């Protein structure tokens, strides 16, 4: 397995949003990157992405080069991946497309080279089903922007080797990531399940006319999220429980929570619900171009992570 200080190249198959994010992550650490992407504009798109995000990358990775080290980046055909010490697969979210990609990657790289899928919710056992060496396939699901957000969800399939999982976790930690290992595979993994559990209730509240789109955004952005920077749902509830923490919270709130749970909606994304979500999306974007808001969001993520009292710092005194 490659270490952070190694100069063995990393293979990236698929160079869209996520492949570009992995490229920035490795190039910031001066790791050579071999990119496979059949789109005619892939290389131009990737280099302009890297140049655009580089100021943010430099703020995220101490010691990153002043400008994107494009000399360490090479677009290759799949057969050119032979020297890669590890491959991230970032092709579109389809089992068939990913299985096809592994078939061709396996013709190019040695059997011991780990292949990490960026999939956001597919079952690793399905992804590895047609591989010659399925033991090397691990899901390593990053968050966008990949170069900035530390979390990577790691999942093994039925045929994945525990040794490979251990090595991948160590590699991601070396890379400055915060890998979280799921103990079994589950569709949608962790972050997407949590995110879309909230969207389910949002869909219900919009259908019931309880609040409008702006109100929902305000509740999450100005209320829930700043607290969640210091601790997630478990920490938040423990903090609400008084000096006894979660024991106090269970005494005080368990019955109330149970009552609210039984009142949560179980909507379907039927025509009406989709139309309401589309209207809500238009309302919150308020005519702004998606690309502009995305760029602002990614820059804000870098700012937030740079705050001295951000994640994991909740118990530190202010200085
Ligand atoms: N976009 C996100 O926020 C996000 C977050 C986490 C994970 N993911 C996952 O990452 C993966 C990639 O998503 P994305 O948003 O980067 O998609 P994207 O559409 O931006 O990029 C996909 C890229 O793969 C290329 N491609 C298609 N077939 C290929 C092949 N056979 N070999 C090599 N390249 C090929 C395309 O030309 C394109 O450049 C998906 O599995 C997605 O679910 C996405």
């Amino acid at each position: 397995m490659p270490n952070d200080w190694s100069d063995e190249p990393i293979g990236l198959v698929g160079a869209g949003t996520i492949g570009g994010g992995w490229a920035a992550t490795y190039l910031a650490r001066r790791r050579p990157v071999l990119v496979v992407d059949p789109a005619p504009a892939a290389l131009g798109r990737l280099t302009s992405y890297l140049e655009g995000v580089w100021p943010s990358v430099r703020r995220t990775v101490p010691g990153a080069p002043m400008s994107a080290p494009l000399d360490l980046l090479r677009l290759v055909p799949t057969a050119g991946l032979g020297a890669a010490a590890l491959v991230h697969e970032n092709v579109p979210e389809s089992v068939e497309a990913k299985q096809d990609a592994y078939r061709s990657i396996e013709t190019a790289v040695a059997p011991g080279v780990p292949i990490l899928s960026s999939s956001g919710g597919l079952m690793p056992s399905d992804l590895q089903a047609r591989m010659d060496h399925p033991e090397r396939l691990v899901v390593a699901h990053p968050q966008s922007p990949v170069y900035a957000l530390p979390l990577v969800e790691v999942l093994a399939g039925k045929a994945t080797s525990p040794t490979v999982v251990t090595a991948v976790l160590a590699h991601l930690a070396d890379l400055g990531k915060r890998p979280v290992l799921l103990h079994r595979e589950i569709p949608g993994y962790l972050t997407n399940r949590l995110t879309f559990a909230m969207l389910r209730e949002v869909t219900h509240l919009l259908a019931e006319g309880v609040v409008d789109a702006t109100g929902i955004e305000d509740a999450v952005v100005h209320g829930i999220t700043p607290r969640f920077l210091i601790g997630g749902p478990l920490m938040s509830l423990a903090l609400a429980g008084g000096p006894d923490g979660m024991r106090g919270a269970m005494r005080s709130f368990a019955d109330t929570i149970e009552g609210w749970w039984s009142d949560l909606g179980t909507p379907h994304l039927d025509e009406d619900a989709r139309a309401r979500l589309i209207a809500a999306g238009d309302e919150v974007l308020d005519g702004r171009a998606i690309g502009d808001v995305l760029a602002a969001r990614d820059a804000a993520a870098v700012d937030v992570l740079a705050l001295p009292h951000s994640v994991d710092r909740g118990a530190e005194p202010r200085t």
Side-chain angles (χ1 to χ4, degrees):
M1 284 291 291
N3 293 313
D4 199 14
W5 55 89
S6 157
D7 59 4
E8 291 172 295
I10 297 292
L12 301 178
V13 175
T17 306
I18 297 304
W22 281 121
T25 304
Y26 285 105
L27 291 174
R29 292 160 176 85
R30 297 178 169 79
R31 288 294 298 262
V33 168
L34 301 170
V35 175
V36 177
D37 194 314
L43 186 59
R45 208 177 47 196
L46 176 58
T47 54
S48 25
Y49 167 79
L50 289 168
E51 285 165 351
V53 297
W54 207 257
S56 293
V57 173
R58 286 193 59 226
R59 294 181 53 221
T60 316
V61 183
M66 294 291 285
S67 55
L70 299 179
D71 53 317
L72 296 177
L73 174 74
R74 229 162 22 101
L75 185 70
V76 295
T78 309
L81 284 177
L86 174 150
V87 175
H88 289 272
E89 164 277 304
N90 325 287
V91 306
E93 187 82 342
S94 129
V95 174
E96 292 71 29
K98 289 179 186 289
Q99 287 179 342
D100 289 348
Y102 306 141
R103 299 289 294 173
S104 61
I105 295 167
E106 285 201 299
T107 63
V109 300
V113 171
I115 300 176
L116 280 59
S117 175
S118 292
S119 171
L122 301 173
M123 298 288 265
S125 293
D126 295 338
L127 297 178
Q128 69 194 166
R130 288 170 50 215
M131 294 177 72
D132 289 332
H133 291 281
E135 70 280 357
R136 58 158 115 197
L137 190 281
V138 177
V139 165
H141 173 221
Q143 307 293 300
S144 192
V146 177
Y147 58 82
L149 296 190
L151 182 74
V152 181
E153 298 179 69
V154 177
L155 288 83
K158 290 188 181 72
T160 307
S161 153
T163 315
V164 173
V165 173
T166 305
V168 166
L169 290 170
H171 169 71
L172 292 168
D174 272 355
L175 204 55
K177 293 296 182 190
R178 173 71 71 102
V180 169
L181 177 66
L182 271 61
H183 298 155
R184 70 173 175 86
E185 55 186 331
I186 182 168
Y189 316 153
L190 184 56
T191 50
N192 279 331
R193 288 180 81 98
L194 294 176
T195 303
F196 291 113
M198 186 181 283
L199 185 73
R200 188 172 179 166
E201 186 58 13
V202 165
T203 305
H204 172 65
L205 295 174
L206 287 174
E208 293 293 305
V210 173
V211 65
D212 59 17
T214 307
I216 285 168
E217 293 290 290
D218 282 351
V220 175
V221 173
H222 297 283
I224 297 172
T225 305
R227 289 199 310 243
F228 273 14
L229 278 172
I230 301 297
L234 296 172
M235 174 75 91
S236 294
L237 188 54
L239 292 178
D244 283 350
M246 192 65 100
R247 284 170 192 77
M250 287 298 103
R251 274 197 307 273
S252 305
F253 307 131
D255 291 342
T256 305
I257 294 170
E258 180 72 26
W260 288 344
W261 272 354
S262 63
D263 194 54
L264 291 177
T266 50
H268 292 279
L269 281 177
D270 54 23
E271 292 277 314
D272 287 349
R274 290 175 199 210
R276 270 190 295 273
L277 286 174
I278 290 168
D282 290 346
E283 185 180 330
V284 299
L285 277 167
D286 195 22
R288 291 169 295 172
I290 299 275
D292 293 346
V293 181
L294 257 179
R297 184 200 68 175
D298 289 359
V302 173
D303 288 338
V304 165
L305 288 167
L307 289 173
H309 306 290
S310 178
V311 281
D312 295 338
R313 306 275 184 96
E316 286 182 15
R318 283 183 181 278
T319 51

